[in-house]
Short mmCIF file of all heavy atoms in Angstrom, two decimals:
data_model
loop_
_atom_site.label_atom_id
_atom_site.label_comp_id
_atom_site.label_asym_id
_atom_site.label_seq_id
_atom_site.Cartn_x
_atom_site.Cartn_y
_atom_site.Cartn_z
N ALA D 1 3.40 -0.86 -2.76
CA ALA D 1 3.37 -0.42 -4.17
C ALA D 1 2.17 -0.99 -4.90
O ALA D 1 1.55 -0.29 -5.75
CB ALA D 1 4.66 -0.84 -4.87
N LEU D 2 1.78 -2.23 -4.59
CA LEU D 2 0.66 -2.85 -5.29
C LEU D 2 -0.65 -2.16 -4.97
O LEU D 2 -1.64 -2.33 -5.72
CB LEU D 2 0.57 -4.34 -4.91
CG LEU D 2 1.66 -5.24 -5.49
CD1 LEU D 2 1.52 -6.65 -4.96
CD2 LEU D 2 1.61 -5.24 -7.01
N ARG D 3 -0.71 -1.42 -3.90
CA ARG D 3 -1.94 -0.71 -3.55
C ARG D 3 -1.84 0.80 -3.81
O ARG D 3 -2.71 1.57 -3.40
CB ARG D 3 -2.29 -0.95 -2.07
CG ARG D 3 -2.74 -2.37 -1.79
CD ARG D 3 -3.20 -2.54 -0.36
NE ARG D 3 -3.69 -3.90 -0.14
CZ ARG D 3 -4.94 -4.29 -0.32
NH1 ARG D 3 -5.84 -3.41 -0.75
NH2 ARG D 3 -5.32 -5.53 -0.09
N ALA D 4 -0.79 1.21 -4.48
CA ALA D 4 -0.59 2.63 -4.75
C ALA D 4 -1.49 3.08 -5.91
O ALA D 4 -1.29 2.66 -7.05
CB ALA D 4 0.86 2.91 -5.08
N PRO D 5 -2.51 3.92 -5.66
CA PRO D 5 -3.41 4.41 -6.71
C PRO D 5 -2.78 5.59 -7.47
O PRO D 5 -3.16 6.74 -7.24
CB PRO D 5 -4.66 4.82 -5.94
CG PRO D 5 -4.13 5.27 -4.62
CD PRO D 5 -2.90 4.43 -4.33
N ILE D 6 -1.87 5.28 -8.36
CA ILE D 6 -1.10 6.32 -9.03
C ILE D 6 -2.00 7.30 -9.79
O ILE D 6 -1.79 8.52 -9.74
CB ILE D 6 -0.06 5.70 -9.99
CG1 ILE D 6 0.95 4.87 -9.18
CG2 ILE D 6 0.64 6.76 -10.81
CD1 ILE D 6 1.98 4.17 -10.02
N PHE D 7 -2.99 6.80 -10.50
CA PHE D 7 -3.88 7.68 -11.25
C PHE D 7 -4.63 8.64 -10.33
O PHE D 7 -4.83 9.81 -10.66
CB PHE D 7 -4.88 6.85 -12.08
CG PHE D 7 -4.29 6.27 -13.32
CD1 PHE D 7 -2.93 6.38 -13.58
CD2 PHE D 7 -5.09 5.59 -14.23
CE1 PHE D 7 -2.37 5.84 -14.73
CE2 PHE D 7 -4.54 5.06 -15.39
CZ PHE D 7 -3.18 5.16 -15.63
N GLU D 8 -5.03 8.15 -9.17
CA GLU D 8 -5.72 9.02 -8.20
C GLU D 8 -4.76 10.11 -7.70
O GLU D 8 -5.16 11.26 -7.55
CB GLU D 8 -6.24 8.20 -7.03
CG GLU D 8 -7.43 7.33 -7.35
CD GLU D 8 -8.00 6.66 -6.13
OE1 GLU D 8 -7.58 7.02 -5.01
OE2 GLU D 8 -8.86 5.77 -6.28
N TRP D 9 -3.53 9.73 -7.47
CA TRP D 9 -2.56 10.72 -7.02
C TRP D 9 -2.34 11.79 -8.07
O TRP D 9 -2.22 12.99 -7.74
CB TRP D 9 -1.23 10.02 -6.70
CG TRP D 9 -1.30 9.15 -5.48
CD1 TRP D 9 -2.32 9.06 -4.58
CD2 TRP D 9 -0.30 8.24 -5.03
NE1 TRP D 9 -2.04 8.14 -3.59
CE2 TRP D 9 -0.80 7.62 -3.84
CE3 TRP D 9 0.96 7.87 -5.49
CZ2 TRP D 9 -0.05 6.68 -3.12
CZ3 TRP D 9 1.69 6.93 -4.79
CH2 TRP D 9 1.19 6.35 -3.62
N LEU D 10 -2.27 11.37 -9.33
CA LEU D 10 -2.08 12.35 -10.41
C LEU D 10 -3.27 13.32 -10.50
O LEU D 10 -3.11 14.47 -10.96
CB LEU D 10 -1.90 11.62 -11.75
CG LEU D 10 -0.63 10.78 -11.88
CD1 LEU D 10 -0.60 10.03 -13.20
CD2 LEU D 10 0.62 11.67 -11.77
N MET D 11 -4.44 12.86 -10.05
CA MET D 11 -5.63 13.72 -10.06
C MET D 11 -5.80 14.49 -8.76
O MET D 11 -6.78 15.19 -8.57
CB MET D 11 -6.87 12.85 -10.32
CG MET D 11 -6.86 12.17 -11.67
SD MET D 11 -8.24 11.00 -11.87
CE MET D 11 -9.64 12.11 -11.76
N GLY D 12 -4.80 14.35 -7.89
CA GLY D 12 -4.84 15.08 -6.64
C GLY D 12 -5.68 14.45 -5.57
O GLY D 12 -6.02 15.09 -4.55
N GLU D 13 -6.03 13.16 -5.70
CA GLU D 13 -6.82 12.46 -4.69
C GLU D 13 -5.90 11.57 -3.88
O GLU D 13 -5.18 10.74 -4.44
CB GLU D 13 -7.91 11.62 -5.36
CG GLU D 13 -8.92 12.42 -6.17
CD GLU D 13 -9.96 11.52 -6.82
OE1 GLU D 13 -10.06 10.35 -6.42
OE2 GLU D 13 -10.67 12.00 -7.73
N PHE D 14 -5.97 11.72 -2.57
CA PHE D 14 -5.10 10.95 -1.68
C PHE D 14 -5.94 10.30 -0.59
O PHE D 14 -6.65 10.99 0.14
CB PHE D 14 -4.03 11.84 -1.06
CG PHE D 14 -3.12 12.49 -2.09
CD1 PHE D 14 -3.39 13.75 -2.57
CD2 PHE D 14 -2.01 11.83 -2.56
CE1 PHE D 14 -2.57 14.36 -3.53
CE2 PHE D 14 -1.19 12.41 -3.51
CZ PHE D 14 -1.47 13.68 -3.98
N ARG D 15 -5.86 8.96 -0.52
CA ARG D 15 -6.59 8.21 0.51
C ARG D 15 -5.61 7.38 1.32
O ARG D 15 -4.47 7.17 0.93
CB ARG D 15 -7.63 7.30 -0.14
CG ARG D 15 -8.71 8.02 -0.94
CD ARG D 15 -9.70 6.99 -1.49
NE ARG D 15 -9.07 6.10 -2.45
CZ ARG D 15 -9.43 4.83 -2.66
NH1 ARG D 15 -10.40 4.31 -1.93
NH2 ARG D 15 -8.81 4.08 -3.55
N THR D 16 -6.08 6.91 2.46
CA THR D 16 -5.22 6.08 3.32
C THR D 16 -5.22 4.63 2.87
O THR D 16 -4.58 3.79 3.50
CB THR D 16 -5.71 6.14 4.78
OG1 THR D 16 -7.09 5.70 4.85
CG2 THR D 16 -5.62 7.58 5.30
N TYR D 17 -5.90 4.33 1.76
CA TYR D 17 -5.97 2.97 1.24
C TYR D 17 -4.57 2.39 1.01
O TYR D 17 -4.34 1.20 1.22
CB TYR D 17 -6.76 2.97 -0.06
CG TYR D 17 -6.75 1.65 -0.82
CD1 TYR D 17 -7.57 0.60 -0.44
CD2 TYR D 17 -5.91 1.48 -1.92
CE1 TYR D 17 -7.56 -0.61 -1.14
CE2 TYR D 17 -5.90 0.27 -2.64
CZ TYR D 17 -6.72 -0.75 -2.23
OH TYR D 17 -6.69 -1.95 -2.91
N VAL D 18 -3.64 3.22 0.61
CA VAL D 18 -2.29 2.74 0.31
C VAL D 18 -1.59 2.19 1.55
O VAL D 18 -0.64 1.43 1.44
CB VAL D 18 -1.46 3.86 -0.34
CG1 VAL D 18 -1.13 4.94 0.69
CG2 VAL D 18 -0.18 3.31 -0.97
N LEU D 19 -2.06 2.58 2.73
CA LEU D 19 -1.43 2.16 3.97
C LEU D 19 -2.01 0.85 4.51
O LEU D 19 -1.55 0.34 5.54
CB LEU D 19 -1.58 3.26 5.04
CG LEU D 19 -0.90 4.59 4.72
CD1 LEU D 19 -1.14 5.58 5.85
CD2 LEU D 19 0.59 4.41 4.47
N VAL D 20 -3.01 0.30 3.82
CA VAL D 20 -3.59 -0.98 4.22
C VAL D 20 -2.52 -2.07 4.15
O VAL D 20 -1.73 -2.13 3.21
CB VAL D 20 -4.79 -1.34 3.32
CG1 VAL D 20 -5.16 -2.79 3.48
CG2 VAL D 20 -5.97 -0.45 3.65
N VAL D 21 -2.49 -2.92 5.16
CA VAL D 21 -1.48 -4.00 5.25
C VAL D 21 -2.05 -5.30 4.70
O VAL D 21 -3.16 -5.70 5.07
CB VAL D 21 -1.02 -4.17 6.71
CG1 VAL D 21 -0.13 -5.41 6.84
CG2 VAL D 21 -0.27 -2.93 7.17
N ASP D 22 -1.30 -5.94 3.84
CA ASP D 22 -1.72 -7.20 3.23
C ASP D 22 -0.64 -8.25 3.50
O ASP D 22 0.30 -8.02 4.27
CB ASP D 22 -1.94 -7.01 1.73
CG ASP D 22 -3.02 -7.95 1.20
OD1 ASP D 22 -3.13 -9.07 1.71
OD2 ASP D 22 -3.75 -7.56 0.27
N VAL D 23 -0.73 -9.37 2.79
CA VAL D 23 0.12 -10.51 3.09
C VAL D 23 1.61 -10.21 2.92
O VAL D 23 2.44 -10.64 3.74
CB VAL D 23 -0.28 -11.73 2.21
CG1 VAL D 23 -0.11 -11.43 0.75
CG2 VAL D 23 0.51 -12.96 2.60
N LEU D 24 1.99 -9.44 1.90
CA LEU D 24 3.41 -9.20 1.68
C LEU D 24 4.04 -8.38 2.81
O LEU D 24 5.15 -8.66 3.24
CB LEU D 24 3.63 -8.48 0.34
CG LEU D 24 3.33 -9.26 -0.92
CD1 LEU D 24 3.79 -8.49 -2.15
CD2 LEU D 24 4.00 -10.63 -0.88
N GLN D 25 3.32 -7.36 3.29
CA GLN D 25 3.87 -6.58 4.38
C GLN D 25 4.02 -7.44 5.64
O GLN D 25 5.04 -7.32 6.34
CB GLN D 25 2.96 -5.38 4.71
CG GLN D 25 2.95 -4.30 3.65
CD GLN D 25 1.76 -4.41 2.73
OE1 GLN D 25 1.42 -5.52 2.30
NE2 GLN D 25 1.14 -3.30 2.40
N CYS D 26 3.05 -8.31 5.91
CA CYS D 26 3.13 -9.14 7.09
C CYS D 26 4.26 -10.15 6.99
O CYS D 26 4.98 -10.40 7.97
CB CYS D 26 1.80 -9.87 7.31
SG CYS D 26 0.64 -8.94 8.31
N ILE D 27 4.45 -10.74 5.81
CA ILE D 27 5.54 -11.69 5.65
C ILE D 27 6.87 -10.96 5.72
O ILE D 27 7.83 -11.45 6.35
CB ILE D 27 5.41 -12.44 4.31
CG1 ILE D 27 4.20 -13.37 4.38
CG2 ILE D 27 6.67 -13.25 4.01
CD1 ILE D 27 3.94 -14.15 3.12
N GLY D 28 6.95 -9.78 5.12
CA GLY D 28 8.19 -9.01 5.18
C GLY D 28 8.57 -8.65 6.60
O GLY D 28 9.72 -8.84 7.02
N LEU D 29 7.62 -8.16 7.37
CA LEU D 29 7.89 -7.82 8.77
C LEU D 29 8.21 -9.07 9.58
O LEU D 29 9.10 -9.05 10.45
CB LEU D 29 6.69 -7.09 9.38
CG LEU D 29 6.82 -6.67 10.85
CD1 LEU D 29 8.04 -5.78 11.06
CD2 LEU D 29 5.55 -5.97 11.34
N SER D 30 7.54 -10.17 9.28
CA SER D 30 7.82 -11.43 9.97
C SER D 30 9.23 -11.90 9.73
O SER D 30 9.90 -12.41 10.64
CB SER D 30 6.81 -12.51 9.54
OG SER D 30 5.50 -12.18 9.93
N LEU D 31 9.73 -11.75 8.51
CA LEU D 31 11.10 -12.11 8.21
C LEU D 31 12.07 -11.31 9.08
O LEU D 31 13.04 -11.83 9.62
CB LEU D 31 11.42 -11.84 6.74
CG LEU D 31 10.80 -12.74 5.69
CD1 LEU D 31 11.33 -12.38 4.31
CD2 LEU D 31 11.10 -14.21 5.99
N ILE D 32 11.81 -10.03 9.18
CA ILE D 32 12.66 -9.14 9.98
C ILE D 32 12.63 -9.59 11.45
O ILE D 32 13.68 -9.64 12.13
CB ILE D 32 12.21 -7.69 9.84
CG1 ILE D 32 12.42 -7.23 8.39
CG2 ILE D 32 12.95 -6.78 10.80
CD1 ILE D 32 11.83 -5.86 8.09
N LEU D 33 11.45 -9.95 11.94
CA LEU D 33 11.33 -10.39 13.34
C LEU D 33 12.04 -11.73 13.56
O LEU D 33 12.65 -11.95 14.63
CB LEU D 33 9.86 -10.50 13.72
CG LEU D 33 9.07 -9.18 13.77
CD1 LEU D 33 7.60 -9.45 14.07
CD2 LEU D 33 9.67 -8.25 14.84
N ILE D 34 11.96 -12.62 12.59
CA ILE D 34 12.66 -13.92 12.72
C ILE D 34 14.17 -13.68 12.81
O ILE D 34 14.86 -14.30 13.63
CB ILE D 34 12.34 -14.83 11.52
CG1 ILE D 34 10.89 -15.32 11.59
CG2 ILE D 34 13.30 -16.00 11.47
CD1 ILE D 34 10.62 -16.29 12.72
#
């Protein structure tokens, strides 16, 4: 959500930037693995 470019989406622009993985996703997945 923190990387979701809402304004770009409203203008019809869609990039794969939102799928970039950062610290929260890695910690979240690590919790699940633990």
